[in-house]
Amino acid sequence: MIHHASCPSCHGQNLNDFFQIKNAPIFSLVTVTSKDEALAVPKQDIQLSFCQECGFIFNRSYDTGINYFTMGYEDQQGFSATFMAYLKRISETLIDEYQLQGKALMEIGCGKGDFINLLSDLAQGDGIGVDPAYVEGRQNNPRLTFYKEFYDHKHGLLKPDFICCRHTMEHVFDTYGFLRLLRESIPDGQRPVLFFEVPQINRILDIQAFWDIYYEHCSYFNATSFAALFRRCGFTICDVRLDYGDQYLLLEAVPAGQEPEQAQFFDLEEPVTRTAERVARFQVEISRQLGEWRQQLEAEKQSGNKVVIWGGGSKSVGFLTNFADLSLIDYVVDINPNMEGNFIPGIGSQYVQPEFLKQYQPDTVIIMNGMYRDEITKTMTDMGVTPQIFTL
């Protein structure tokens, strides 16, 4: 088994291995078109480790030799009205705060281009998307240019006024190397505003959200470790905050000047010892959390209930990995039409559209993200589907 010896963010070696998941599928968002192909997806162990020097949490067993991003990756969330309202709100806030009207905007890890398209539209500025998994034809906005490749120094020469990177850093193992590359790619004299968004680990630790731990997420941040990494890589933090039901950590920064600056710290930055306490409590509580869910699912199986998960992608993989042996859940609902008919990597459950439930009439629906409960419940009620509902 791979066992990285030092922290990818600060290179410290004072590491504490605290949680392991055996046989996790190495992919969660690739499009797999047959059940046999899904079950054949390779599996590896996840070993979460806590750096006691900077507070960073990462998968110490992560295999950096695997190509994760260029094989039929499907990660669009823009089909949800709830999610699009969130994107519009944060976009308008950023445009307002940093006067981005008419500016050159770049997104690193743009996925299928939903966010850079929205941002470019609202700011009436030219947008640049950089992502090896971009699919031609998903966006038709003439203001947008896409580079179907990993970010490199040459993209810095495009001199964007604003650089955003949403839900990409958690997929990057060499976090320090990536941010240093970004810093070094910014030409002298340029001071673009940076906006980064990642899932935040404190919530995962505090409620033992094991469904948010999966192989493709190798890096887990809280405000302490994230801000420290940016400072270490030559940036000045403008703001760090939580949003989206405290699931997301948002950070704004600019390149630091030549002169040493007095670092500004934010309320969310807690001592590393506090993160250590969260980790210790997680270790105690996680077995109870997993045990209660197993008991619930075994009872559903014994009763012959039809159980469905609503919310595809990574959370469903993270959840089902822990209970794959029960062979209970055949279908996962996802409103992204590009997922329909595909199968969950490593698990074999099939993606279906909401309309499928009219005929299937499940007894129980487990909603993977509580932010969508109202939206999902209304959709089901409108279809005449009234199951028992559990919300993560």
Side-chain angles (χ1 to χ4, degrees), residues 273-289:
T273 51
R274 176 71 185 100
T275 311
E277 291 167 5
R278 294 180 191 272
V279 166
R281 183 170 174 273
F282 174 91
Q283 282 185 288
V284 171
E285 295 291 334
I286 187 61
S287 55
R288 180 189 57 77
Q289 169 85 284

Side-chain angles (χ1 to χ4, degrees), residues 294-364:
R294 179 167 288 275
Q295 196 175 5
Q296 173 65 38
L297 294 173
E298 284 173 344
E300 298 276 354
K301 186 167 185 174
Q302 203 169 0
S303 301
N305 287 346
K306 291 187 282 189
V307 182
V308 163
I309 277 179
W310 192 308
S314 301
K315 286 179 189 288
S316 58
V317 173
F319 184 85
L320 289 169
T321 295
N322 291 278
F323 310 111
D325 58 300
L326 295 178
S327 301
L328 170 64
I329 296 167
D330 294 327
Y331 299 105
V332 174
V333 179
D334 197 288
I335 60 174
N336 181 348
N338 301 300
M339 301 292 274
E340 186 177 10
N342 288 309
F343 293 81
I344 290 197
I347 308 295
S349 307
Q350 188 172 26
Y351 284 111
V352 294
Q353 286 282 283
E355 290 72 27
F356 173 83
L357 300 189
K358 286 186 197 172
Q359 168 224 328
Y360 190 63
Q361 288 294 330
D363 301 291
T364 301

Side-chain angles (χ1 to χ4, degrees), residues 218-278:
C218 53
S219 298
Y220 299 83
F221 300 94
N222 63 9
T224 304
S225 60
F226 210 33
L229 173 64
F230 273 80
R231 292 187 187 107
R232 202 175 294 122
C233 291
F235 295 97
T236 298
I237 315 296
C238 304
D239 191 25
V240 59
R241 63 188 186 279
L242 302 179
D243 208 322
Y244 213 60
D246 289 353
Q247 293 183 37
Y248 298 162
L249 176 66
L250 283 55
L251 181 146
E252 295 158 21
V254 292
Q258 298 300 314
E259 298 299 315
E261 300 177 27
Q262 181 72 40
Q264 180 188 358
F265 290 90
F266 296 84
D267 290 346
L268 278 180
E269 295 182 73
E270 63 186 25
V272 173
T273 51
R274 176 71 185 100
T275 311
E277 291 167 5
R278 294 180 191 272

Side-chain angles (χ1 to χ4, degrees), residues 1-2 4 23 48 70 75 77 93 108 123 203 210 219 237 240 302 313 335 372 382:
M1 186 171 79
I2 295 162
H4 297 280
N23 298 317
L48 285 194
T70 54
D75 58 349
Q77 292 176 281
T93 300
I108 300 171
R203 171 190 156 274
F210 61 87
S219 298
I237 315 296
V240 59
Q302 203 169 0
I335 60 174
Y372 304 110
D382 290 349

